[in-house]
Amino acid sequence: MKKISLLLIAVSTIASAQLRVGLDVKRSLEMSLAGFAGESLDAEGMGITVGYEQMLLSLVGVGAEYSIAGDEGLDMVYAYAVGKIPVGMPMMRGIVRFGYSMPMGDAGDAYDPGTGLGLGLRVKPPIFPIGVEALYTMHSLKMKDTGDELGDALSGLIETKYNVLTITATYSF
């Protein structure tokens, strides 16, 4: 009986998983000083995002993504909680994600990890396992301390937001 229970748990876990591969079609880095309007820089080219989501209940779950930004933009690991909200038709879901953003590579040397908030829309036919998702994610990051007193005081006032618009293909198990 114990083996059957473990098998049912394993099958139901895999059955509610989702692989994600997407293109970051628009990326921008906004820096502002103490909440005042700042400068926004758009990254050229496209990034690639690869991720995995595990739905714990039918409408809430957890996930993780790795974004490869290429020459411009920030490489990022993003772990999050996700909620899927029914909207309109049965094959459409609103997506809300909130989690922890951790810059990698050179960006990891310049920025401390921060929070991320994503909002989007997913379209997936009821029986077909492949869906499409458009998601706008806002990552809030802080500059790392440099050891210089004046620089550290200023970096504490600088707010950095990395905004990404991603078009993703999803495959549900």
Side-chain angles (χ1 to χ4, degrees), residues 2-122:
K2 189 176 187 181
K3 290 181 183 179
I4 292 173
S5 298
L6 288 175
L7 182 62
L8 287 174
I9 290 171
V11 168
S12 65
T13 299
I14 292 171
S16 61
Q18 181 184 91
L19 290 176
R20 312 167 50 75
V21 177
L23 292 176
D24 301 338
V25 294
K26 179 157 175 53
R27 299 171 292 157
S28 65
L29 184 67
E30 297 176 10
M31 299 179 91
S32 60
L33 184 62
F36 293 103
E39 188 173 336
S40 177
L41 303 169
D42 288 337
E44 295 291 326
M46 286 191 219
I48 297 172
T49 299
V50 178
Y52 176 83
E53 271 184 14
Q54 178 66 50
M55 298 310 289
L56 304 174
L57 300 170
S58 62
L59 298 177
V60 294
V62 295
E65 286 185 345
Y66 181 64
S67 295
I68 303 164
D71 293 337
E72 293 189 23
L74 304 177
D75 290 352
M76 184 93 57
V77 171
Y78 179 42
Y80 55 87
V82 61
K84 296 184 178 179
I85 304 158
V87 292
M89 299 171 21
M91 59 192 256
M92 295 176 67
R93 298 266 192 258
I95 306 294
V96 178
R97 302 188 325 181
F98 183 76
Y100 185 72
S101 303
M102 189 168 74
M104 304 299 287
D106 292 338
D109 296 336
Y111 297 103
D112 282 329
T115 59
L117 173 67
L119 302 169
L121 182 67
R122 179 174 184 221

Side-chain angles (χ1 to χ4, degrees), residues 19-23 130-133 167-171:
L19 290 176
R20 312 167 50 75
V21 177
L23 292 176
I130 296 175
V132 177
E133 188 173 291
I167 305 297
T168 304
T170 63
Y171 179 80

